[in-house]
Amino acid sequence: MDVHQNTLYLLTPNSYVSRDHLTLQVEVPVYPPDLPAEQRTREAASDWRKLSIPIHHLESICVFGPSTVSPPALDLCWEHGVAVNYLSEFGHFQARLTGWPTPA
C-alpha cells in the first residue's frame, strides 16, 4: 500500500503553527473582506480558523510571507523528517529546514 504524504501551505499572513504532542496546531487569521492588505495584523483579525494535523500526515510545510512556526513545532518537524520551506509572499525561495527521521 502506498502512503501519500501531504504538504501544508501557509498562505495567509500572520498564521501561526505550534506543537501539541505529536500534532501541529495551525491558527489562521480571518480578516474582514474590506480590510486592506497593509492593515492585516494579528490584532485586526475578526476570527481564527484552527486545525490540528498529525505530524505523520505531513511531508513538508511551505510558509509564504510573514507567518510563524514555533521552535517546538520546528523540532517536531525535524524529528520526523518534515521539511519546512520559507518563501517570500511572492513565492521566492528563502530557506529550507530538513531533519532526518529517527528510527522507530
Side-chain angles (χ1 to χ4, degrees):
M1 184 167 117
D2 291 335
V3 176
H4 297 284
Q5 296 294 326
N6 299 305
T7 299
L8 171 64
Y9 293 93
L10 293 175
L11 301 170
T12 305
N14 300 310
S15 297
Y16 183 73
V17 181
S18 61
R19 177 180 180 167
D20 182 23
H21 302 290
L22 292 177
T23 63
L24 294 177
Q25 303 293 324
V26 183
E27 294 180 0
V28 180
V30 177
Y31 299 110
D34 57 342
L35 188 68
E38 61 273 0
Q39 295 179 4
R40 294 183 177 197
T41 63
R42 291 184 64 82
E43 295 77 26
S46 60
D47 197 11
W48 292 88
R49 288 199 181 116
K50 299 179 182 181
L51 65 129
S52 296
I53 304 170
I55 194 66
H56 67 273
H57 286 198
L58 290 175
E59 181 179 13
S60 64
I61 301 172
C62 291
V63 182
F64 288 82
S67 292
T68 304
V69 181
S70 73
L74 285 173
D75 185 51
L76 182 64
C77 292
W78 178 269
E79 292 172 358
H80 291 271
V82 175
V84 181
N85 304 289
Y86 290 93
L87 301 103
S88 73
E89 62 185 311
F90 303 108
H92 297 283
F93 178 78
Q94 294 176 330
R96 178 181 173 110
L97 302 168
T98 306
W100 191 259
T102 56

PDB file of all heavy atoms in Angstrom, residues 15 17 22 24 30 46-47 67 83 86 103:
ATOM      1  N   SER A  15      -0.220  33.716  10.076  1.00  0.00           N
ATOM      2  CA  SER A  15      -0.597  32.380  10.537  1.00  0.00           C
ATOM      3  C   SER A  15       0.435  31.922  11.565  1.00  0.00           C
ATOM      4  O   SER A  15       1.571  32.383  11.571  1.00  0.00           O
ATOM      5  CB  SER A  15      -0.630  31.404   9.367  1.00  0.00           C
ATOM      6  OG  SER A  15      -1.610  31.780   8.439  1.00  0.00           O
ATOM      7  N   VAL A  17       1.947  28.344  13.686  1.00  0.00           N
ATOM      8  CA  VAL A  17       1.983  26.892  13.855  1.00  0.00           C
ATOM      9  C   VAL A  17       2.668  26.589  15.175  1.00  0.00           C
ATOM     10  O   VAL A  17       3.775  27.053  15.434  1.00  0.00           O
ATOM     11  CB  VAL A  17       2.743  26.210  12.692  1.00  0.00           C
ATOM     12  CG1 VAL A  17       2.757  24.700  12.881  1.00  0.00           C
ATOM     13  CG2 VAL A  17       2.131  26.581  11.353  1.00  0.00           C
ATOM     14  N   LEU A  22       2.226  15.148  19.343  1.00  0.00           N
ATOM     15  CA  LEU A  22       2.663  14.734  18.008  1.00  0.00           C
ATOM     16  C   LEU A  22       1.798  15.330  16.906  1.00  0.00           C
ATOM     17  O   LEU A  22       1.703  14.790  15.805  1.00  0.00           O
ATOM     18  CB  LEU A  22       2.661  13.204  17.896  1.00  0.00           C
ATOM     19  CG  LEU A  22       3.706  12.492  18.756  1.00  0.00           C
ATOM     20  CD1 LEU A  22       3.564  10.988  18.636  1.00  0.00           C
ATOM     21  CD2 LEU A  22       5.112  12.933  18.378  1.00  0.00           C
ATOM     22  N   LEU A  24       0.572  19.187  14.916  1.00  0.00           N
ATOM     23  CA  LEU A  24       0.808  20.616  14.711  1.00  0.00           C
ATOM     24  C   LEU A  24      -0.541  21.323  14.809  1.00  0.00           C
ATOM     25  O   LEU A  24      -1.533  20.887  14.208  1.00  0.00           O
ATOM     26  CB  LEU A  24       1.438  20.872  13.339  1.00  0.00           C
ATOM     27  CG  LEU A  24       2.839  20.313  13.146  1.00  0.00           C
ATOM     28  CD1 LEU A  24       3.308  20.585  11.721  1.00  0.00           C
ATOM     29  CD2 LEU A  24       3.812  20.907  14.146  1.00  0.00           C
ATOM     30  N   VAL A  30      -8.694  35.208  10.239  1.00  0.00           N
ATOM     31  CA  VAL A  30      -9.740  35.546   9.274  1.00  0.00           C
ATOM     32  C   VAL A  30      -9.949  37.044   9.366  1.00  0.00           C
ATOM     33  O   VAL A  30     -10.254  37.577  10.434  1.00  0.00           O
ATOM     34  CB  VAL A  30     -11.059  34.793   9.591  1.00  0.00           C
ATOM     35  CG1 VAL A  30     -12.156  35.207   8.622  1.00  0.00           C
ATOM     36  CG2 VAL A  30     -10.831  33.300   9.566  1.00  0.00           C
ATOM     37  N   SER A  46     -10.704  39.187  12.656  1.00  0.00           N
ATOM     38  CA  SER A  46     -12.042  39.118  13.238  1.00  0.00           C
ATOM     39  C   SER A  46     -12.321  37.745  13.849  1.00  0.00           C
ATOM     40  O   SER A  46     -13.192  37.601  14.697  1.00  0.00           O
ATOM     41  CB  SER A  46     -13.095  39.442  12.177  1.00  0.00           C
ATOM     42  OG  SER A  46     -13.015  38.521  11.105  1.00  0.00           O
ATOM     43  N   ASP A  47     -11.581  36.738  13.407  1.00  0.00           N
ATOM     44  CA  ASP A  47     -11.762  35.379  13.921  1.00  0.00           C
ATOM     45  C   ASP A  47     -10.511  34.574  13.582  1.00  0.00           C
ATOM     46  O   ASP A  47      -9.619  35.065  12.893  1.00  0.00           O
ATOM     47  CB  ASP A  47     -12.996  34.732  13.284  1.00  0.00           C
ATOM     48  CG  ASP A  47     -13.478  33.509  14.047  1.00  0.00           C
ATOM     49  OD1 ASP A  47     -13.002  33.283  15.173  1.00  0.00           O
ATOM     50  OD2 ASP A  47     -14.340  32.780  13.511  1.00  0.00           O
ATOM     51  N   SER A  67       4.608  34.540   8.392  1.00  0.00           N
ATOM     52  CA  SER A  67       3.927  33.626   9.301  1.00  0.00           C
ATOM     53  C   SER A  67       4.968  33.041  10.237  1.00  0.00           C
ATOM     54  O   SER A  67       6.164  33.154   9.992  1.00  0.00           O
ATOM     55  CB  SER A  67       3.212  32.521   8.530  1.00  0.00           C
ATOM     56  OG  SER A  67       2.136  33.065   7.793  1.00  0.00           O
ATOM     57  N   ALA A  83      10.082  18.604   6.030  1.00  0.00           N
ATOM     58  CA  ALA A  83      10.805  19.784   5.566  1.00  0.00           C
ATOM     59  C   ALA A  83       9.952  21.037   5.782  1.00  0.00           C
ATOM     60  O   ALA A  83       8.742  21.016   5.559  1.00  0.00           O
ATOM     61  CB  ALA A  83      11.152  19.650   4.093  1.00  0.00           C
ATOM     62  N   TYR A  86      10.688  28.126   3.632  1.00  0.00           N
ATOM     63  CA  TYR A  86      10.300  29.530   3.791  1.00  0.00           C
ATOM     64  C   TYR A  86      10.423  30.222   2.448  1.00  0.00           C
ATOM     65  O   TYR A  86      11.465  30.151   1.804  1.00  0.00           O
ATOM     66  CB  TYR A  86      11.187  30.227   4.826  1.00  0.00           C
ATOM     67  CG  TYR A  86      10.924  29.761   6.241  1.00  0.00           C
ATOM     68  CD1 TYR A  86      11.667  28.733   6.805  1.00  0.00           C
ATOM     69  CD2 TYR A  86       9.917  30.337   6.990  1.00  0.00           C
ATOM     70  CE1 TYR A  86      11.424  28.304   8.102  1.00  0.00           C
ATOM     71  CE2 TYR A  86       9.656  29.914   8.287  1.00  0.00           C
ATOM     72  CZ  TYR A  86      10.420  28.897   8.830  1.00  0.00           C
ATOM     73  OH  TYR A  86      10.164  28.464  10.103  1.00  0.00           O
ATOM     74  N   PRO A 103      14.744   6.454  13.773  1.00  0.00           N
ATOM     75  CA  PRO A 103      14.130   5.129  13.634  1.00  0.00           C
ATOM     76  C   PRO A 103      13.145   4.850  14.770  1.00  0.00           C
ATOM     77  O   PRO A 103      13.351   5.278  15.899  1.00  0.00           O
ATOM     78  CB  PRO A 103      15.310   4.165  13.688  1.00  0.00           C
ATOM     79  CG  PRO A 103      16.538   4.992  13.863  1.00  0.00           C
ATOM     80  CD  PRO A 103      16.155   6.421  13.972  1.00  0.00           C
TER      81      PRO A 103
END
